[in-house]
Amino acid sequence: MVVTHVPTPTCHSIKPFPPNRHPFTQLFSVSQKLYISLSSLLHLSIYLSMPPNSFSLSKISSSTMQPLTNFFQDYTFLLFTSFFLLLPFLQWWYHHNDKKLPPGSMGWPYLGETLKLYTQNPNSFFSNRQNRYGDIFKTNILGCPCVMISSPEAARTVLVTQAHLFKPTYPPSKEKLIGPEAVFFQQGAYHSMLKKLVQASFLPSTIKHSVSHVEQIVIKMVPSWTNKTINTLQEMKKYAFEVAAISAFGEIKELEMEEIRELYRCLEKGYNSYPLHLPGTSYWKAMKARKHLNESIRRIIERRKVESSKYGGGLLGVLLQARSSPSRSRSTSSRSSSCGEEKKVFMELSDSQVADNLIGVLFAAHDTTASALTWVLKYLHDNSNLLEAVTREQEGIRSKLAMENRGLSWDDTRQMPFTNRVIQETLRSASILSFTFREAVTDVELEGYTIPKGWKVLPLFRSIHHSAHFFPHPEKFDPSRFEVPPRPNTYMPFGNGVHSCPGSELAKLELLVLLHHLTLSYRWEVVGKEDGIQYGPFPVPKHGLPVKIIPRRKIFT
Ligand code: HEM
């Protein structure tokens, strides 16, 4: 089975060259010598071009030196001007050369190593370089110099302890589609204000009231698969969307929901297409859909203001309540650092800021959760002993529910230790977000290297999750490894630090509720023999894992 096979990078791999003898560094020192020689030559040319009696050097201006002197006198002006024109560039070069950049190759001018990254499995790209250069290496992707890191300590520095030195960075085309005011693009005080509000909607104390909603979606969805071949990914996307939409919008009319579903579908298509903003392209249609989504959300906001004192719940309810609540606004930070302006900014949380954050949450919740749901079915299919162990645990829960004549509750989901470990291992093994992006806002020293201002920094979650150093036999799907907690900062399926995922509990709840119903009543057989991973954009089993769903009782009779 190839599902999550990534060549196992050793965490403390030997660097093939000591940093100052690496060919790239050597190239820099050659250029440095070249620069020094060139500037000496230029200085000499200035001396030679002076009147013969102005300096003792005139003595060497003898007949043997005459042709050389004439040459320099002719070209002095040109050389002198070019020197001053080139000076800032040479100084920049010299300055950068001074710094100890991480080892690695920057590839071809502009193209960098982009072709290499896109023509091979991204995991091999990362692990090959990690084996060659170590846990921190530089490269160049699409003209952007990047530093990739796969040491837990360095990842913690970037994401947690020195997070203020690294800002989140996304391609502008994607930012425009999601909405530039969405929480993940922000930094500092404005980010923490938004984050508090988003988090409030997804805390266990809030989502515990959604368990029956989530269960109802599963109870309606799963029986429709009986004896059919389904595309797991597509079905999981529908499930994840429904849960995310309820969490984002709260109580919403079916007609409004249908409109949002339709527009979101168009938006998603454009998001995964080439960002060419010309009439007729998927990107152009997606931008149009995004504008319509703003209008639809504005209409919902207007209705909520009139109809409901609690603004209809969900994240939308929280955002609307927050902007109309002066007492809360005072205690919450904002884009401005001055206390006097905090309230003002809170009151200015506009309709489009609300819309950006609702759409942002849909995006963050949808494909990620669908991918995790798809992987858990794949792993349980391939490990029948684990599937039976999960089923036994769920049978215990079912007996309790039958005795008490009720549906699943939040507390029941806390009584599923084995199923929870299967989910933890799924998230490690599949590493849905293989890495994330940051950008250095200033020159930063990291583990003895300099990351220049403006360079991208990518903590490689997958490489850390697949390091044999932290997770022995990392290619093996083994939930028992989570019987003891993983070493700090080595397990980050939901990120780490200020930008870590606020939806982690909701995502795990979705996995638990689905597994409860599916394992108790059904078994699934993978259709087709093709193993492997596809990326779109998150890793999923090939072709979205087509499976045939068979009622369990049929198998045992
Ligand atoms: C298995 C499913 C999920 C995975 C693997 C996942 C993973 C992540 C990761 C790794 C980050 C941090 C990104 C970074 O540091 O740049 C993140 C951020 C985020 N996630 Fe999730 N996520 C999942 C589900 C969800 C759900 C269900 C929601 C809905 C509430 C959600 C909402 C968000 C938001 C809003 C952020 C941005 C937070 C910020 O910038 O402060 N995610 N997610």
Side-chain angles (χ1 to χ4, degrees):
M1 177 188 79
V2 200
V3 275
T4 55
H5 177 74
V6 180
T8 311
T10 49
C11 207
H12 296 289
S13 46
I14 303 157
K15 290 176 191 162
F17 309 101
N20 56 358
R21 286 198 358 238
H22 184 271
F24 209 81
T25 323
Q26 278 178 342
L27 188 71
F28 266 131
S29 65
V30 168
S31 61
Q32 187 179 337
K33 280 173 198 148
L34 214 77
Y35 162 68
I36 292 165
S37 326
L38 182 69
S39 59
S40 316
L41 206 67
L42 283 162
H43 281 101
L44 184 67
S45 78
I46 295 165
Y47 292 137
L48 291 175
S49 67
M50 288 171 175
N53 57 352
S54 66
F55 195 62
S56 56
L57 258 179
S58 59
K59 285 174 195 144
I60 55 166
S61 192
S62 62
S63 58
T64 45
M65 292 292 283
Q66 198 56 49
L68 192 63
T69 313
N70 289 345
F71 169 83
F72 278 118
Q73 277 175 341
D74 289 348
Y75 288 95
T76 293
F77 178 73
L78 194 65
L79 289 167
F80 191 71
T81 326
S82 348
F83 172 70
F84 280 100
L85 284 176
L86 278 173
L87 195 62
F89 171 73
L90 293 168
Q91 270 177 337
W92 173 85
W93 193 347
Y94 189 77
H95 180 61
H96 268 67
N97 190 16
D98 234 10
K99 292 174 183 171
K100 194 171 150 198
L101 294 171
S105 160
M106 300 302 269
W108 293 94
Y110 187 74
L111 269 182
E113 296 198 294
T114 313
L115 290 180
K116 283 186 189 152
L117 177 63
Y118 285 94
T119 51
Q120 58 181 255
N121 177 336
N123 302 323
S124 316
F125 177 89
F126 299 139
S127 56
N128 288 344
R129 277 151 192 76
Q130 192 186 352
N131 288 335
R132 185 150 174 224
Y133 303 117
D135 288 340
I136 301 184
F137 61 88
K138 67 172 179 289
T139 179
N140 182 323
I141 308 295
L142 287 171
C144 298
C146 304
V147 175
M148 301 198 168
I149 53 181
S150 46
S151 112
E153 295 75 25
R156 184 175 147 76
T157 306
V158 172
L159 300 173
V160 187
T161 51
Q162 301 293 317
H164 59 287
L165 301 179
F166 301 92
K167 64 175 183 189
T169 165
Y170 289 77
S173 58
K174 311 258 176 207
E175 201 175 309
K176 269 188 212 147
L177 275 188
I178 292 178
E181 302 279 1
V183 65
F184 8 73
F185 308 127
Q186 312 305 325
Q187 227 197 336
Y190 181 66
H191 171 260
S192 41
M193 175 201 81
L194 279 176
K195 187 68 177 272
K196 272 183 204 147
L197 295 175
V198 175
Q199 247 163 352
S201 316
F202 298 101
L203 286 174
S205 54
T206 313
I207 60 169
K208 69 195 293 182
H209 306 295
S210 312
V211 178
S212 63
H213 268 118
V214 176
E215 192 181 22
Q216 283 314 307
I217 296 173
V218 171
I219 289 174
K220 209 170 137 197
M221 178 181 69
V222 173
S224 71
W225 300 338
T226 313
N227 293 323
K228 287 191 184 140
T229 298
I230 60 159
N231 182 297
T232 311
L233 178 65
Q234 292 311 320
E235 293 303 312
M236 297 308 162
K237 281 178 83 158
K238 288 182 205 161
Y239 171 39
F241 183 85
E242 292 307 303
V243 177
I246 289 178
S247 318
F249 290 93
E251 294 153 23
I252 183 164
K253 292 181 175 163
E254 184 45 40
L255 217 64
E256 289 171 336
M257 191 69 232
E258 193 44 49
E259 189 181 348
I260 288 182
R261 227 180 257 132
E262 201 48 49
L263 290 169
Y264 182 84
R265 249 195 293 272
C266 186
L267 190 63
E268 198 194 10
K269 220 168 146 194
Y271 187 85
N272 294 321
S273 71
Y274 188 77
L276 191 63
H277 200 195
L278 286 178
T281 61
S282 297
Y283 187 77
W284 181 81
K285 286 180 193 162
M287 285 300 287
K288 263 179 83 175
R290 184 63 186 79
K291 273 192 194 143
H292 289 308
L293 268 170
N294 260 12
E295 284 155 25
S296 309
I297 291 172
R298 214 187 44 247
R299 278 199 298 276
I300 297 173
I301 292 175
E302 289 309 314
R303 188 176 60 71
R304 292 268 174 103
K305 276 198 237 163
V306 183
E307 281 179 14
S308 165
S309 59
K310 280 194 160 181
Y311 300 105
L315 175 61
L316 176 55
V318 172
L319 296 177
L320 293 182
Q321 216 162 0
R323 73 175 182 183
S324 69
S325 151
S327 59
R328 238 187 117 179
S329 63
R330 246 177 259 124
S331 64
T332 316
S333 56
S334 69
R335 204 192 269 273
S336 156
S337 55
S338 102
C339 289
E341 285 175 44
E342 279 179 357
K343 182 178 166 192
K344 189 170 153 238
V345 174
F346 213 122
M347 301 299 274
E348 280 175 5
L349 196 63
S350 66
D351 285 358
S352 85
Q353 280 172 304
V354 171
D356 287 3
N357 281 287
L358 293 177
I359 304 301
V361 159
L362 285 186
F363 257 103
H366 184 216
D367 275 346
T368 48
T369 314
S371 170
L373 287 156
T374 306
W375 277 114
V376 80
L377 258 66
K378 169 75 176 155
Y379 292 132
L380 289 178
H381 170 272
D382 292 347
N383 296 276
S384 53
N385 55 331
L386 299 177
L387 175 59
E388 293 319 312
V390 168
T391 310
R392 276 196 302 280
E393 184 169 85
Q394 297 304 328
E395 280 171 345
I397 303 278
R398 179 171 62 183
S399 312
K400 193 170 153 220
L401 298 186
M403 266 165 50
E404 295 172 14
N405 192 24
R406 61 175 178 84
L408 273 175
S409 71
W410 177 259
D411 290 345
D412 297 323
T413 63
R414 307 299 94 185
Q415 307 296 318
M416 303 175 178
F418 188 81
T419 316
N420 262 301
R421 285 200 290 276
V422 167
I423 290 171
Q424 279 178 294
E425 177 67 343
T426 298
L427 294 169
R428 178 199 70 84
S429 187
S431 293
I432 313 292
L433 248 79
S434 303
F435 53 84
T436 188
F437 282 99
R438 295 288 186 273
E439 186 183 307
V441 294
T442 178
D443 284 3
V444 184
E445 289 297 316
L446 186 72
E447 303 209 341
Y449 297 114
T450 299
I451 302 178
K453 180 183 173 180
W455 281 38
K456 310 284 179 204
V457 182
L458 284 74
L460 302 178
F461 299 134
R462 173 176 278 268
S463 301
I464 298 173
H465 292 164
H466 283 259
S467 158
H469 200 71
F470 310 123
F471 299 97
H473 307 291
E475 70 293 346
K476 185 168 183 248
F477 188 84
D478 179 11
S480 73
R481 66 173 90 240
F482 286 98
E483 282 166 10
V484 288
R487 262 171 62 174
N489 309 306
T490 58
Y491 183 63
M492 295 173 280
F494 295 106
N496 202 0
V498 283
H499 284 279
S500 65
C501 180
S504 58
E505 288 303 327
L506 180 65
K508 286 189 269 184
L509 178 69
E510 288 174 59
L511 283 147
L512 288 169
V513 175
L514 183 84
L515 287 180
H516 174 76
H517 286 280
L518 203 62
T519 58
L520 285 175
S521 309
Y522 296 92
R523 287 295 175 263
W524 50 101
E525 276 170 11
V526 173
V527 177
K529 290 208 162 37
E530 220 182 322
D531 236 345
I533 307 180
Q534 72 183 45
Y535 297 84
F538 300 109
V540 279
K542 263 266 156 73
H543 307 304
L545 192 71
V547 294
K548 177 146 197 216
I549 305 285
I550 308 148
R552 198 171 153 221
R553 61 177 185 280
K554 258 197 187 170
I555 295 169
F556 292 107
T557 51

